[in-house]
Amino acid sequence: MARASTTSDAFNAVAEPRRRDILSFLVAQERPVNDIVASLGLPQPSVSKHLRVLLEVGLVDVRRDGRQMFYRTNANAIRPLHEWTSTFERYWRHQLTRIKERAEANELQS
Amino acid sequence: MARASTTSDAFNAVAEPRRRDILSFLVAQERPVNDIVASLGLPQPSVSKHLRVLLEVGLVDVRRDGRQMFYRTNANAIRPLHEWTSTFERYWRHQLTRIKERAEANELQS
DNA sequence: TTGACATATTCCGATATGGGAATATGATTA
DNA sequence: TAATCATATTCCCATATCGGAATATGTCAA
């Protein structure tokens, strides 16, 4: 077996930086493909391929209007990632507390 | 070019489900490799390889004690993922609001 | 020093990737 | 219908992956 497919879930789809850029760009409002091409400065076929991956895992939705395809980020599909990372939140808070305490202890010394 | 290396950043490292399992397991307290092997039921070489990836991107720390290696999740390295997903939070909130409003409208109809 | 234990590395093969270039499909307009 | 615009797909290639199996490294104990 090789690495899991990029279309296997949101975690894999989002590992590619360009796809994260696209998601950020499409979250405020839907946009035709050419807007993405122009704004991110990527070759059009590349954008289409990335959009296909994002579509397959449900990270974007599409709507056709004439010959244009309007894509929009489906923010809901990002929630699982957010929730997974949230389970670690209390631990980095812990770390911060310890770092802070150490810093304060050092200030008392000096 | 091919897909970015799994060691290129936390996003890529975390795309692999086993590595997420390992991070969850190691977050509460440090553990020797054999504990991971036993708890997750993975072959030992596989665990060592995954730990190497996690170590390279700073998602875990190690400490040696005799012949054992104690690994622990570095929660701080997960923050970038959390922060990136957080930028989408207001948008799924929006969606929820719209869905809720629609549901309530439907209740009035029925 | 030898053996046992804990962990890491190497070699292999099948597979999917993303970029580039070319081209196909689909829809509109002249 | 032909030309044009917007987007999608295909082909090729270099590369890195993960799993499995075998083996290496490193540390401790007898």
Side-chain angles (χ1 to χ4, degrees):
Chain A
M1 219 168 293
R3 223 209 282 206
S5 162
T6 55
T7 56
S8 55
D9 60 30
F11 283 94
N12 280 280
V14 149
E16 162 67 50
R18 307 315 191 140
R19 285 198 284 267
R20 290 201 297 279
D21 294 343
I22 292 175
L23 289 174
S24 297
F25 183 65
L26 295 178
V27 72
Q29 57 176 309
E30 61 173 16
R31 305 268 197 177
V33 178
N34 251 345
D35 275 24
I36 310 173
V37 170
S39 291
L40 303 191
L42 301 174
Q44 176 269 315
S46 177
V47 170
S48 279
K49 287 179 204 163
H50 285 314
L51 287 170
R52 190 161 181 17
V53 172
L54 294 173
L55 191 60
E56 270 189 64
V57 297
L59 280 164
V60 297
D61 298 322
V62 216
R63 177 177 74 83
R64 151 163 267 144
D65 179 38
R67 39 190 168 185
Q68 290 185 304
M69 299 291 269
F70 285 84
Y71 284 87
R72 176 176 11 196
T73 296
N74 174 20
N76 241 304
I78 299 177
R79 289 190 73 178
L81 313 197
H82 184 75
E83 270 146 31
W84 183 76
T85 59
S86 294
T87 63
F88 296 88
E89 197 167 358
R90 48 175 300 223
Y91 294 98
W92 71 64
R93 289 247 167 84
H94 260 213
Q95 287 182 317
L96 284 182
T97 306
R98 283 202 301 268
I99 289 165
K100 205 175 162 195
E101 284 170 355
R102 224 172 287 148
E104 285 166 0
N106 284 338
E107 291 207 3
L108 286 178
Q109 285 183 1
S110 63
Chain B
M1 221 169 289
R3 224 208 281 204
S5 162
T6 55
T7 56
S8 53
D9 60 30
F11 283 95
N12 279 280
V14 148
E16 161 68 50
R18 308 314 191 141
R19 285 198 284 267
R20 290 200 298 278
D21 294 342
I22 292 175
L23 289 174
S24 296
F25 183 66
L26 294 178
V27 70
Q29 58 176 309
E30 61 174 15
R31 307 266 198 178
V33 178
N34 251 345
D35 276 23
I36 310 174
V37 170
S39 291
L40 303 190
L42 301 174
Q44 176 269 315
S46 177
V47 171
S48 279
K49 288 179 204 163
H50 285 314
L51 287 171
R52 190 160 181 17
V53 172
L54 293 173
L55 192 59
E56 270 188 63
V57 297
L59 279 163
V60 297
D61 297 321
V62 216
R63 177 177 74 81
R64 152 163 266 143
D65 179 38
R67 36 189 168 185
Q68 291 186 302
M69 300 291 270
F70 286 83
Y71 285 86
R72 182 189 350 211
T73 297
N74 173 20
N76 242 304
I78 300 178
R79 289 190 73 178
L81 314 196
H82 184 76
E83 270 146 32
W84 183 77
T85 59
S86 294
T87 63
F88 297 88
E89 197 166 0
R90 50 175 299 223
Y91 295 99
W92 71 65
R93 290 247 168 85
H94 259 213
Q95 288 182 317
L96 284 181
T97 306
R98 284 201 301 268
I99 289 164
K100 206 177 162 194
E101 285 170 355
R102 226 173 285 149
E104 286 165 0
N106 285 338
E107 290 205 3
L108 287 178
Q109 285 182 1
S110 63

